[in-house]
Amino acid sequence: MKTDTRRIWIALPLAVVALCAGADWLQFRGTDNTSCSDESALPTEFADGKNVAWKVDLPGRGPSSPIVVGDRVFVTASSGPREDRLHVLALSAADGTTIWHRQLWATGHTQINPMGSVANNTPASDGQLVFAFFSSNDLACFDLDGNLKWFRGLASDYPSTRNDVGMASSPLVVGEVVVVQCENQGESFVAGIDKRNGLTRWRIPRDRDAIWSSPTVLRGKTPKDDVVLLHGRSALTGHDPQTGKELFRYETSVHTVASVTTRGDRIYLPANGLHALQYNPADHSVQLLWYEQKLRGGNSSPVAFGHRVLRVRNPAILSCADVETGRKLWDVRLEGAVWATPLVAGEFAYVASYEGKVFVVRLGEKGELVSTNFIGKGVLASPIAAGGALYLRNDTQLLKVASH
Amino acid sequence: MSTWTRSTSMGLLFIVLAMGRAAGADLADALDTLRAVGPEGAGNEAATVAWQQAAQVDVSRVPQLLAGLKGANPLAANWIRTAVDAVCERTLRNGGTLPKQAFEQFVLNTDQDPRARRLAYEWLLKVDPAAEGRIVPQLLDDPSVELRRDAVARLIEQGEKAVAAKQTDEAAKLLQQAFDAARDRDQIGTIVKLLKDLGREVDLVTHDGLIVDWQVIGPFDNTDEAGFNKVYPPETAFDASAEYQGKHGKVAWLKYRSEDPAGKVDLYKALEETLTRISEKLQERDVVAYAVSDFHSPSEKTVQIRSSTMNAIKTWVNGVLVDEHNVYHAGSQFDQYQADAVIRRGSNRIMVKLCQNAQTQSWTETFAFQLRVCDAIGSGIVSAE
């Protein structure tokens, strides 16, 4: 009995480690697009190389965040004087070495705002395949070993679909489809691409207005109940991922860059303020729970966790509000321009500024700035967490931060 | 050598040759499949299988893969180039090397696809960094803009060294050579600044093939952005002496020459007399205008018409619509729009339709375009007259 108990105590930490090691981060703002991680022991100090497990130069620039599948980190970049060299890399999570590196030639438009890059869009994965999407509307599918499974140059199908400051919407994998949102002043659409063969399963036209936000999944009780949430400029809509059929519509003037976030059946919509909506899966209706104008934010997306919701307001103020009422509880003043969406892990929020500072804020009754960590300029990518580590990206490099 | 040994050797040789031929045939078939992919995902499923075949070939077959890029459509090109990457990457990871001589020959063969040559060059440098010194000086007039760029960069570097050494004439000579060869805007900008610092004039209009002489007419109505698809009389026939009913009354063709160093054609300026200002700060909105220029060519050829504008634009060459973008105020950069067009020997008529919408934000106070004629890599072509 004593031996069995000892075995359990030995096995338990190993099980926890194994669980952490298996915690993937599969798409923009995490597997469920919530920007929340189950990691609870991430380093809170990583300035001057402290806790930096590795740092690697990337072959190009990109606001896209990395994703993590098992022991591999996938990241995209673009390079060249015409920004038409597109890179997809698989790195070893253990030491940052390149496992494979594929390049593509952009088939679509590559003009962008100099702050961004053609690799604006975070790749996505279902755990078996990696879907890399770019501002040029090129969508490539690789398996985890770098074998090209299919390729779509959506610009060849829809040549007027372009935005001269760059497209930034990240793809969403849900069920059997990869959802891409191509809303711009040219031909606008959202498409569900079959993840197995790259063929278009459905395509719905959208308003000819530029939008940079990303499709978001609202998880249902079972995978078949999942709903895709889409921003337009004037409405939030919910769609059946397998058919694209519109399930509900909530009309309001919506933020064009920040994306909607969810927690359970609740939807937090960035607009001229923050709208909290209750989704009813029985009849696909949504009901406004509250609206708080004071939570009008910048370009990063809201994050809902526990009983709180976070919003980065201009100029660089992290605001925390009661998730039930929208009542603002506290502010923590940060600095710089915040484009990236905060990561919530354990009792901390990690907020990255474009100027390269990552602020770690303790999420208590009051917000407390715990540390400020400079990681290099040009941070547009949202911080992510997987396998017991934090991954951060500046203009030219990818960093892994983990306790040694 | 015994009869048995000779027979065995011949047999083995036959098998090896047969396997090689089979592998070659397999790769050729795989390339055909990859080159057959098309829009809307057509051919993707067959290409997935063919890609696996292509990516598994021995590195000695990479030149064949690279050659498969010639004439490949942009979608197929990405299937093929990723297979090249996979083969080369696997070979180096396994401790092998690349066939340097074959790669170098491929790089220097200007009959091959320009981007395939650049791809070969980049892989070659991984196993033979000294190749850069041998190859780059030969690339100043290369049809690959990416390869040419390295040669231009080398000349810029030499020019800067000459500037630092106060060898002004030598610096100007090197930089002028670089300017003539440069096709990338960042390099051109660098060279222009260095030449100007040396007191040398540069003619961007000629270098880029920018058209600055136009006849313009307008305004016509664009309320609710309906003018983009409305056919106004200038679209049906050109008559320099004609008058048409415009938005406010009769309008006629006016001659306009852009004095802008970058060839920008400002239609607010060109049509100032015919427009009705909204306020002191705001020029008229909801308008359409046309601009026509005659371009002379000594021969028939395919050229590129490259334009940039913040306004919605349509472009015709000899009455054939070659480009259209119904987009307003979404940014504007050099060579923003690119379209192929066939020009004939003699005179060719290039016509632009430009539309301004109702927006009145500060960044929408522009009704202008820039248009040039060039070859596929952006070398400016000027009108023969």
Side-chain angles (χ1 to χ4, degrees):
Chain A
M1 184 67 183
K2 191 177 178 182
T3 306
D4 286 348
T5 308
R6 193 162 58 236
R7 277 182 186 154
I8 289 168
W9 281 111
I10 291 169
L12 194 60
L14 292 175
V16 170
V17 168
L19 200 63
C20 289
D24 293 341
W25 187 276
L26 295 180
Q27 47 198 355
F28 180 52
R29 298 183 297 144
T31 301
D32 294 333
N33 307 137
T34 60
S35 306
C36 293
S37 168
D38 292 336
E39 304 288 351
S40 58
L42 298 175
T44 56
E45 294 192 3
F46 37 95
D48 302 320
K50 184 179 179 185
N51 289 322
V52 174
W54 48 257
K55 179 162 68 174
V56 294
D57 291 335
L58 296 171
R61 299 174 52 244
S64 62
S65 298
I67 60 170
V68 176
V69 186
D71 59 359
R72 296 184 177 194
V73 183
F74 297 89
V75 65
T76 60
S78 67
S79 66
R82 282 161 294 280
E83 282 278 339
D84 58 353
R85 302 284 288 267
L86 314 180
H87 305 262
V88 185
L89 294 99
L91 308 177
S92 161
D95 58 14
T97 54
T98 299
I99 298 169
W100 54 263
H101 175 190
R102 298 284 174 269
Q103 282 195 57
L104 302 158
W105 289 307
T107 68
H109 192 54
T110 60
Q111 287 179 5
I112 43 146
N113 183 307
M115 195 175 176
S117 111
V118 178
N120 280 337
N121 328 63
T122 295
S125 176
D126 64 352
Q128 306 293 322
L129 301 167
V130 174
F131 309 96
F133 191 45
F134 295 88
S135 173
S136 55
N137 292 322
D138 289 302
L139 177 63
C141 172
F142 295 93
D143 69 16
L144 301 184
D145 293 323
N147 296 306
L148 182 64
K149 307 307 285 185
W150 51 261
F151 175 75
R152 289 291 301 272
L154 296 174
S156 64
D157 305 330
Y158 314 105
S160 74
T161 303
R162 55 187 282 167
N163 182 327
D164 291 331
V165 296
M167 313 273 278
S169 180
S170 297
L172 170 71
V173 184
V174 52
E176 296 303 308
V177 300
V178 184
V179 180
V180 290
Q181 185 170 4
C182 303
E183 290 198 41
N184 63 106
Q185 284 134 318
E187 187 172 5
S188 281
F189 63 90
V190 176
I193 309 292
D194 192 314
K195 71 179 187 182
R196 295 166 307 176
N197 54 27
L199 298 176
T200 302
R201 276 198 177 192
W202 53 263
R203 179 175 171 271
I204 49 178
R206 302 283 289 179
D207 290 342
R208 291 171 66 113
D209 271 321
I211 286 282
W212 295 269
S213 58
S214 299
T216 300
V217 65
L218 175 66
R219 293 290 182 203
K221 279 199 172 67
T222 69
K224 71 177 179 53
D225 300 316
D226 288 349
V227 173
V228 175
L229 303 176
L230 300 175
H231 284 212
R233 278 194 181 240
S234 57
L236 170 79
T237 49
H239 298 260
D240 180 336
Q242 304 314 314
T243 64
K245 180 188 171 190
E246 185 176 306
L247 302 174
F248 66 82
R249 173 174 288 263
Y250 177 80
E251 295 192 348
T252 187
S253 181
V254 179
H255 202 289
T256 56
V257 178
S259 298
V260 65
T261 194
T262 66
R263 185 155 184 82
D265 286 339
R266 297 275 178 89
I267 299 168
Y268 300 92
L269 175 65
N272 185 24
L274 193 65
H275 297 240
L277 307 170
Q278 176 67 49
Y279 170 65
N280 182 354
D283 61 0
H284 302 303
S285 63
V286 287
Q287 178 190 0
L288 178 66
L289 296 174
W290 52 259
Y291 162 70
E292 178 51 67
Q293 197 273 338
K294 288 178 184 169
L295 295 176
R296 182 174 62 183
N299 293 319
S300 72
S301 303
V303 184
F305 65 100
H307 299 291
R308 302 285 183 261
V309 60
L310 292 179
R311 191 84 173 96
V312 180
R313 299 187 297 119
N314 291 328
I317 299 167
L318 180 67
S319 294
C320 180
D322 185 316
V323 80
E324 297 296 331
T325 63
R327 183 174 64 88
K328 192 148 70 71
L329 301 172
W330 50 257
D331 285 340
V332 172
R333 185 172 288 273
L334 307 173
E335 49 181 293
V338 177
W339 289 76
T341 296
L343 165 72
V344 171
E347 57 180 321
F348 300 101
Y350 296 78
V351 188
S353 74
Y354 180 67
E355 291 75 11
K357 290 180 179 175
V358 180
F359 306 97
V360 182
V361 177
R362 188 189 306 278
L363 303 167
E365 288 301 308
K366 294 283 181 187
E368 178 196 354
L369 181 60
V370 173
S371 68
T372 300
N373 309 275
F374 181 71
I375 63 157
K377 291 180 179 175
V379 179
L380 291 165
S382 300
I384 73 157
L390 185 66
Y391 294 90
L392 304 162
R393 181 185 192 170
N394 63 33
D395 198 34
T396 58
Q397 297 168 313
L398 183 66
L399 295 81
K400 177 183 179 181
V401 172
S403 299
H404 296 298
Chain B
M1 188 181 283
S2 70
T3 305
W4 183 87
T5 309
R6 202 161 46 237
S7 300
T8 305
S9 300
M10 291 296 286
L12 283 171
L13 181 62
F14 175 78
I15 291 168
V16 167
L17 287 172
M19 285 174 66
R21 274 198 295 274
D26 286 350
L27 181 54
D29 291 345
L31 275 169
D32 285 346
T33 303
L34 296 178
R35 287 166 61 93
V37 297
E40 301 282 359
N44 266 353
E45 286 182 293
T48 305
V49 178
W51 190 92
Q52 286 291 346
Q53 290 176 307
Q56 291 301 321
V57 298
D58 184 79
V59 72
S60 62
R61 314 297 304 211
V62 168
Q64 189 181 345
L65 268 176
L66 289 164
L69 284 162
K70 188 173 183 180
N73 71 55
L75 306 171
N78 277 312
W79 283 92
I80 298 169
R81 84 145 291 161
T82 48
V84 170
D85 286 343
V87 175
C88 293
E89 190 177 83
R90 184 189 71 235
T91 302
L92 296 183
R93 188 192 305 121
N94 292 339
T97 190
L98 308 179
K100 297 174 195 171
Q101 196 177 355
F103 272 44
E104 186 159 341
Q105 284 172 356
F106 192 93
V107 174
L108 294 172
N109 184 354
T110 55
D111 285 340
Q112 293 293 351
D113 177 81
R115 292 197 297 187
R117 293 172 54 226
R118 176 72 196 191
L119 179 56
Y121 175 69
E122 291 181 5
W123 277 109
L124 176 62
L125 291 192
K126 289 181 195 295
V127 292
D128 184 7
E132 182 179 356
R134 292 193 304 274
I135 293 174
V136 168
Q138 306 176 54
L139 302 174
L140 201 57
D141 289 317
D142 200 273
S144 158
V145 279
E146 289 182 300
L147 290 171
R148 174 190 288 244
R149 180 181 174 83
D150 286 5
V152 171
R154 179 174 158 272
L155 274 184
I156 294 173
E157 193 181 330
Q158 290 175 353
E160 286 174 326
K161 282 181 182 165
V163 169
K166 302 194 185 311
Q167 297 167 334
T168 305
D169 289 343
E170 177 64 10
K173 185 180 148 197
L174 289 164
L175 292 168
Q176 185 62 48
Q177 267 185 288
F179 179 69
D180 293 342
R183 297 293 176 267
D184 287 333
R185 301 319 294 172
D186 59 329
Q187 288 190 326
I188 290 170
T190 300
I191 299 163
V192 167
K193 184 176 183 310
L194 289 166
L195 283 170
K196 283 187 174 172
D197 289 346
L198 292 173
R200 303 301 204 269
E201 289 297 317
V202 286
D203 180 0
L204 277 171
V205 167
T206 303
H207 179 274
D208 292 333
L210 291 156
I211 296 180
V212 295
D213 285 307
W214 296 87
Q215 294 187 76
V216 298
I217 192 168
F220 298 92
D221 189 30
N222 191 33
T223 301
D224 296 331
E225 300 179 7
F228 185 78
N229 289 320
K230 186 163 184 180
V231 179
Y232 288 110
E235 292 182 37
T236 53
F238 177 73
D239 178 354
S241 62
E243 281 194 338
Y244 305 114
Q245 184 62 38
K247 186 177 178 183
H248 307 302
K250 294 286 184 187
V251 291
W253 291 98
L254 304 169
K255 286 192 175 176
Y256 178 75
R257 179 182 175 80
S258 168
E259 301 295 341
D260 181 66
K264 179 181 165 188
V265 181
D266 185 345
L267 290 175
Y268 271 161
K269 197 172 169 184
L271 295 169
E272 192 166 15
E273 299 299 318
T274 66
L275 296 167
T276 305
R277 296 193 77 88
I278 297 170
S279 67
E280 194 178 328
K281 284 186 177 174
L282 291 179
Q283 187 47 282
E284 186 170 359
R285 297 297 196 265
D286 291 330
V287 289
V288 171
Y290 293 86
V292 164
S293 185
D294 288 333
F295 185 91
H296 297 268
S297 174
S299 61
E300 180 176 308
K301 63 178 90 167
T302 298
V303 298
Q304 282 200 341
I305 304 293
R306 298 189 181 183
S307 59
S308 60
T309 179
M310 292 280 273
N311 307 97
I313 188 171
K314 286 187 180 184
T315 306
W316 291 262
V317 174
N318 296 326
V320 177
L321 182 67
V322 296
D323 205 11
E324 59 177 325
H325 301 276
N326 190 9
V327 174
Y328 294 87
H329 308 297
S332 172
Q333 296 179 39
F334 195 84
D335 285 349
Q336 181 180 5
Y337 301 130
Q338 304 180 15
D340 288 339
V342 176
I343 56 171
R344 60 194 174 212
R345 184 170 180 265
S347 182
N348 297 269
R349 181 151 295 141
I350 297 172
M351 183 167 78
V352 168
K353 177 182 189 177
L354 205 69
C355 305
Q356 170 66 303
N357 67 358
Q359 285 181 258
T360 54
Q361 298 98 325
S362 58
W363 67 86
T364 66
E365 190 61 24
T366 174
F367 187 39
F369 69 93
Q370 182 189 49
L371 184 142
R372 69 190 190 112
V373 181
C374 62
D375 67 12
I377 64 166
S379 313
I381 303 172
V382 295
S383 177
E385 289 181 18

